[in-house]
Amino acid sequence: MFQGETSKKKIALTFDDGPHPIHTREVLQLLNQYDAKATFFMLGSQVEEYPHITAQVAASGHEIGSHTWSHKNLTTLSEEEAIEGISLGVVAIEDAIGYQPTHFRPPFGERNANVDQLVGMPSVLWTIDTRDWNTRTPESIFQIVKTNASNGQIVLMHDIYDTTVEALDPILKHLTLEGYQFVTISELIK
C-alpha cells in the first residue's frame, strides 16, 4: 500500500522508529494542537523500553503499526530470523497497548513476496519521503511535504529526530491552511 483514496483532501502522516522518550511526546502535543491523527510504526525494542509512551500514543487516538523488533532488512534474513523480528515487534506492541497492530511497515521499505507472506498484515509504504533521516533540516523536511502534498498521500517521517519535530508545526499549519484532514492509515484506506 502506497497511497489512499485521492478524491478527498486527506493525508496520512506517519512516524517510524519510535517511540522516542522526548520527541514522540512533542509530536503528540503538536498533533493535538491541530486535531490531527497519525500512524506510528514502532520498533518492538523501543516499545519495550517505553511502553508508557506507546500507550499514550494509542490513548490519544493515533494508530500504531509494527516496524519489526529492531529494524533489520527482512529480505536479507533467514525465514526464521524474519519471523522472529516480525513476531517480537507485534508482541511488544500488544503487551503495551492490549491489542495487535493491523498494519506493518517493512524496515527500509524492503519487502518481497516471502516477507509479505510472513507478515500476515498489510504492508504500508509511502508516497512522500521527507528524507528527515538524511537532511536533518526542518526547512528541507517542510519543503518536501509542501511541494509534494496531494490527496491520499502517505508521508514518511521519524519521531526520533528533533529536526522532524521542528518541521512538524509548519507542516501541520501549511496543510491545514490547504484544507487537508490528517488521518490514520486505516482512515485513509477506508
Side-chain angles (χ1 to χ4, degrees), residues 57-76:
V57 170
S60 299
H62 303 287
E63 186 169 27
I64 296 177
S66 178
H67 199 40
T68 73
W69 173 258
S70 62
H71 208 279
K72 291 182 181 173
N73 182 340
L74 297 175
T75 64
T76 65

Side-chain angles (χ1 to χ4, degrees), residues 1-4 6 11-12 14 105 124-130 144 148-156 188:
M1 178 185 325
F2 289 94
Q3 183 171 326
T6 58
I11 199 163
T14 66
R105 177 165 284 160
V124 178
L125 298 178
W126 54 86
T127 48
I128 300 173
D129 184 353
T130 62
I144 289 169
N148 296 291
S150 64
N151 298 359
Q153 300 293 301
I154 300 172
V155 181
L156 169 63
L188 188 70

Side-chain angles (χ1 to χ4, degrees), residues 24-96:
T24 301
R25 287 186 171 137
E26 294 169 332
V27 167
L28 289 177
Q29 290 172 349
L30 286 165
L31 293 171
N32 186 52
Q33 287 175 23
Y34 287 88
D35 194 28
K37 296 303 176 199
T39 301
F40 292 76
F41 288 97
M42 296 185 172
L43 294 172
S45 57
Q46 290 298 104
V47 170
E48 185 176 77
E49 183 82 16
Y50 306 108
H52 55 290
I53 298 173
T54 306
Q56 184 182 359
V57 170
S60 299
H62 303 287
E63 186 169 27
I64 296 177
S66 178
H67 199 40
T68 73
W69 173 258
S70 62
H71 208 279
K72 291 182 181 173
N73 182 340
L74 297 175
T75 64
T76 65
L77 302 178
S78 70
E79 187 169 305
E80 184 178 285
E81 292 169 321
I83 289 169
E84 181 179 44
I86 294 163
S87 299
L88 289 174
V90 168
V91 167
I93 291 168
E94 184 175 18
D95 287 349

